[in-house]
């Protein structure tokens, strides 16, 4: 495993939860990043659906240099280049995206490529950490089935998953679990994240 990929894998494995932030503005995005950082989340994904996301990315990185902040919903060569130029620590797509893959390889940036079918997910896992999306369609049992074919695959399920569902996905073999809507409405996010991280350490 490449050093940069290993580092991302280790940070995701420790974090257990990957917040996927779709904010309506730069200001809202920065507030969301701050909440995630305060909750102890080490790896954070902003998305290109946020207006002026490059500015949000650059400022978030400046405000939280100790956090690994990437960009998701990256589907084009232009957005991949823009994200890396503004300091993205990694890129994420919801589906196979060859143009993004090529830019990531050329620029030395890790890419979590998305897929929904067995073929797409296994193909992405051949190159690094794969994203299973939308994960709720197949559920944890689908992830187990994929991992039965390739036990060493590193996969992050995302889409339609609540924070309460995270332990089940981790037991199914997820590296970490992407959470979007509902994450920041958690009354005590720090405690909820801590519980998930601690529980995963005590599981057989």
């Amino acid at each position: 495993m490449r050093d940069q990929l290993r580092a991302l894998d280790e940070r995701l494995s420790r974090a257990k939860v990957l917040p996927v932030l779709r904010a309506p503005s730069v200001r809202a995005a920065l507030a969301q990043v701050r909440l995630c950082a305060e909750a102890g989340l080490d790896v954070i994904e902003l998305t290109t659906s946020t207006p002026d996301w490059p500015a949000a990315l650059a400022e978030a990185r400046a405000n939280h240099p100790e956090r690994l902040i990437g960009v998701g919903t990256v589907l084009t060569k232009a957005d991949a280049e823009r994200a890396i130029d503004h300091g993205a620590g990694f890129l994420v797509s919801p589906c196979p995206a060859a143009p993004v893959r090529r830019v990531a390889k050329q620029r030395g940036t890790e890419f979590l490529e998305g897929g929904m079918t067995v073929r797409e997910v296994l193909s992405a896992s051949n190159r690094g950490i794969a994203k299973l999306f939308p994960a709720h369609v197949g559920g944890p049992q689908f992830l187990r089935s994929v991992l039965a074919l390739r036990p060493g695959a590193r996969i992050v399920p995302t889409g339609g998953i609540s924070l309460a569902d995270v332990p089940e996905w981790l037991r199914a073999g997820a590296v970490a679990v992407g959470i979007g809507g509902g994450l920041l409405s958690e009354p005590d996010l720090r405690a909820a994240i801590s519980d998930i991280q601690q529980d995963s350490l005590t599981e057989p």
Side-chain angles (χ1 to χ4, degrees):
M1 186 181 285
R2 304 182 302 272
D3 289 346
Q4 190 173 1
L5 176 58
R6 182 179 294 107
L8 175 58
D9 185 280
E10 290 174 353
R11 291 179 80 160
L12 283 171
S13 296
R14 287 194 301 269
K16 306 301 179 188
V17 172
L18 173 62
V20 181
L21 306 181
R22 299 188 182 281
S25 66
V26 170
R27 181 176 180 181
L30 295 174
Q32 291 179 2
V33 171
R34 178 177 53 79
L35 286 172
C36 290
E38 290 175 349
L41 290 167
D42 186 49
V43 187
I44 299 168
E45 177 186 335
L46 295 175
T47 59
T48 61
S49 57
T50 296
D52 201 12
W53 60 267
L57 171 63
E59 190 165 348
R61 277 183 44 81
N63 293 344
H64 306 279
E66 74 287 0
R67 297 297 193 257
L68 182 61
I69 303 176
V71 176
T73 320
V74 180
L75 294 167
T76 67
K77 177 178 182 287
D79 276 350
E81 292 175 338
R82 191 175 298 118
I84 295 170
D85 288 344
H86 284 80
F90 58 94
L91 305 177
V92 187
S93 71
C95 58
V100 178
R101 189 189 313 145
R102 287 192 289 269
V103 171
K105 183 176 181 179
Q106 291 166 359
R107 300 286 296 271
T109 300
E110 293 306 323
F111 176 37
L112 281 68
E113 189 165 15
M116 180 179 179
T117 68
V118 172
R119 180 176 182 177
E120 289 172 347
V121 175
L122 289 181
S123 178
S125 74
N126 276 334
R127 295 182 288 270
I129 301 171
K131 171 178 175 172
L132 170 60
F133 179 85
H136 69 91
V137 174
Q141 189 55 46
F142 180 78
L143 176 60
R144 289 187 176 94
S145 296
V146 173
L147 289 172
L149 300 175
R150 184 170 296 148
R154 310 298 284 164
I155 301 172
V156 177
T158 307
I161 302 175
S162 71
L163 202 57
D165 296 330
V166 170
E168 184 178 3
W169 283 97
L170 294 174
R171 287 192 293 270
V175 175
V177 182
I179 305 290
L183 177 68
L184 300 179
S185 62
E186 183 69 28
D188 190 339
L189 183 58
R190 173 179 280 278
I193 295 298
S194 179
D195 286 347
I196 288 171
Q197 293 170 341
Q198 291 302 313
D199 286 349
S200 68
L201 294 176
T202 59
E203 289 176 1

